[in-house]
Amino acid sequence: MIKTDEIIATLKEKNADAAWITTPLNIFYFTGYRSEPHERLFALLITSNGECTLYCPKMEVEEVKHSPFNGNIVGYLDTESPFDLAPHRFNTLLIESEHLTVKRQRELTNNFNVKAYEDIDLTIKKLRNIKDENEVKNIKKAAELADKCIDIGVSFLSEGVTEREVVNHIENEIKKYGVSEMSFDTMVLFGDHAASPHGTPGDRTLVKNEYVLFDLGVVYNHYCSDMTRTVKFGEPSKEARTIYDIVLKAEQSAIEAIKPGIPLQNIDKIARDIISEAGYGDFFPHRLGHGLGLEEHEYQDVSSTNTNLLEAGMVITIEPGIYVPNVAGVRIEDDILVTDTGFEVLTHYNK
């Protein structure tokens, strides 16, 4: 459990007694065991002396024993209090303030006699921000499968088909390649319906001479991909094609500027300036991208306010878009690995 070393170092730096980690994906990151506990308590306790204890429902104990986790296991029945099974006293406890509920915090205060709390959210985000070789390998495979999803979807397009039918076809067919989970709800939007950046696929039918927007991703070995393609079905209007060319130029220019040491806000500015100078700045309402890994959206964001620097090992999305009501919505998105000298594009479907 090498990744816990940074947590232990943070505990010593803050003179804290322990860290209480409760986000299931963060617990998986540190233990190799993944669970969705629903309303039950599921937590990883890491103390400043390096001891690790996983609290989980008793029904999961055997699975934990067969996982990579080699620390202490506290399994509890639904009728038991897990805190009574492993009592502690902590003066200062580091918590995930973005996840821990007020109810759970009160339980910690009462049962562990905690006197003070501090956050550990940013420490964990920074750790997950830099991917190791195995994580990159998994994301690359997820990206490859996302490319396949687009190919499946494009091949299925025909006049009269509905957005929902295309979504269902993609998600059914990709299962043949071993995919059991999408990163998020697959989005397929036709023509002017795509002018809603986060539209919901429905009964809108496909007609000739419009664009089709696909936004999707798959989960491979716990890691996500997230890509968008906007493809022609027939010959869209002149304005729609102009919008596409602007978005493509913005995306390619932003990607080409990626390398370690560049502020993330600079990458956003490159794409945003191209779109603004073309007269469509008001129709690009979202950030340029975000981090990608165990979640489809994670630290950091590629936005005009993020002054942090790109680092080798980061995986981010670049996804500019222009959305003009009653005309068209165009977004193009790729998954990008920041390398020691520049970048590697992980998604490859034709643009």
Side-chain angles (χ1 to χ4, degrees):
M1 294 171 61
I2 297 173
K3 291 174 179 176
T4 60
D5 290 349
E6 187 70 23
I7 301 299
I8 296 166
T10 301
L11 288 169
K12 292 177 178 177
E13 177 187 331
K14 293 178 176 287
N15 197 29
D17 301 301
W20 181 256
I21 298 169
T22 51
T23 303
L25 279 177
N26 283 339
I27 293 174
F28 168 76
Y29 183 78
F30 290 111
T31 67
Y33 177 69
R34 185 167 181 175
S35 173
E36 179 45 65
H38 304 291
E39 76 281 1
R40 296 180 175 93
L41 176 73
F42 182 50
L44 175 64
L45 179 70
I46 304 174
T47 63
S48 57
N49 65 4
E51 186 176 23
C52 295
T53 302
L54 186 65
Y55 291 75
C56 68
K58 196 155 193 172
M59 66 184 90
E60 297 184 22
V61 168
E62 287 305 311
E63 285 194 356
V64 176
K65 288 179 179 178
H66 290 90
S67 77
F69 179 69
N70 57 8
N72 304 317
I73 304 170
V74 176
Y76 64 93
L77 297 171
D78 288 343
T79 53
E80 294 178 312
S81 167
F83 299 104
D84 293 340
L85 301 177
H88 291 279
R89 296 180 68 88
F90 299 123
N91 286 322
T92 302
L93 190 65
L94 304 188
I95 59 171
E96 294 175 277
S97 61
E98 296 177 8
H99 185 261
L100 190 71
T101 65
V102 173
K103 177 180 180 291
R104 291 290 192 215
Q105 186 174 5
R106 287 173 180 159
E107 290 174 346
L108 289 171
T109 301
N110 294 334
N111 289 280
F112 287 171
N113 298 110
V114 181
K115 302 296 187 293
Y117 293 94
E118 291 188 39
D119 298 349
I120 199 168
D121 304 78
L122 187 58
T123 298
I124 296 174
K125 287 178 181 179
K126 286 181 175 178
L127 276 173
R128 283 179 51 180
N129 184 45
I130 305 300
K131 274 63 180 180
D132 63 27
E133 185 177 337
N134 189 57
E135 289 178 295
V136 170
K137 180 180 177 181
N138 288 329
I139 296 171
K140 284 184 175 181
K141 183 62 178 180
E144 177 187 320
L145 289 165
D147 282 328
K148 186 64 182 176
C149 285
I150 302 288
D151 187 47
I152 290 168
V154 171
S155 299
F156 189 66
L157 296 179
S158 63
E159 286 188 80
V161 72
T162 69
E163 295 167 334
R164 173 49 56 186
E165 285 172 338
V166 180
V167 169
N168 291 342
H169 180 73
I170 291 170
E171 294 187 349
N172 287 332
E173 288 297 307
I174 198 62
K175 290 177 181 177
K176 297 176 181 177
Y177 298 86
V179 173
S180 59
E181 183 182 1
M182 306 302 287
S183 302
F184 50 91
D185 291 341
T186 299
M187 188 185 303
V188 176
L189 303 173
F190 299 157
D192 58 354
H193 191 199
S196 176
H198 277 179
T200 301
D203 294 328
R204 165 74 149 81
T205 57
L206 182 61
V207 298
K208 269 287 189 183
N209 303 324
E210 62 182 3
Y211 278 115
V212 177
L213 187 151
F214 297 86
D215 188 350
L216 52 79
V218 308
V219 178
Y220 177 79
N221 201 15
H222 306 288
Y223 284 83
C224 297
S225 54
D226 179 5
M227 70 179 295
T228 307
R229 287 294 185 269
T230 306
V231 302
K232 290 193 297 184
F233 184 73
E235 194 63 25
S237 69
K238 182 177 180 182
E239 183 177 4
R241 284 182 282 122
T242 297
I243 289 170
Y244 184 93
D245 290 342
I246 295 165
V247 173
L248 181 59
K249 179 182 178 183
E251 199 226 12
Q252 290 177 331
S253 298
I255 291 173
E256 288 168 4
I258 291 174
K259 64 179 179 180
I262 300 296
L264 282 150
Q265 65 180 188
N266 288 19
I267 306 302
D268 181 280
K269 186 176 188 302
I270 289 168
R272 201 165 299 279
D273 283 353
I274 289 171
I275 291 173
S276 295
E277 288 166 8
Y280 288 95
D282 291 340
F283 300 98
F284 179 19
H286 56 76
R287 63 191 176 184
L288 182 64
H290 53 80
L292 183 70
L294 287 171
E295 296 169 279
E296 75 274 14
H297 283 197
E298 59 181 49
Y299 183 82
Q300 305 187 48
D301 66 319
V302 186
S303 72
S304 60
T305 59
N306 191 349
T307 59
N308 292 338
L309 306 182
L310 287 164
E311 299 178 64
M314 291 173 59
V315 178
I316 59 174
T317 68
I318 298 295
E319 48 181 304
I322 296 175
Y323 315 91
V324 182
N326 302 315
V327 178
V330 174
R331 181 167 64 253
I332 305 172
E333 174 186 17
D334 283 295
D335 301 340
I336 313 295
L337 169 67
V338 184
T339 65
D340 291 333
T341 57
F343 65 89
E344 180 183 350
V345 181
L346 307 183
T347 37
H348 300 293
Y349 193 87
N350 179 47
K351 291 181 281 191

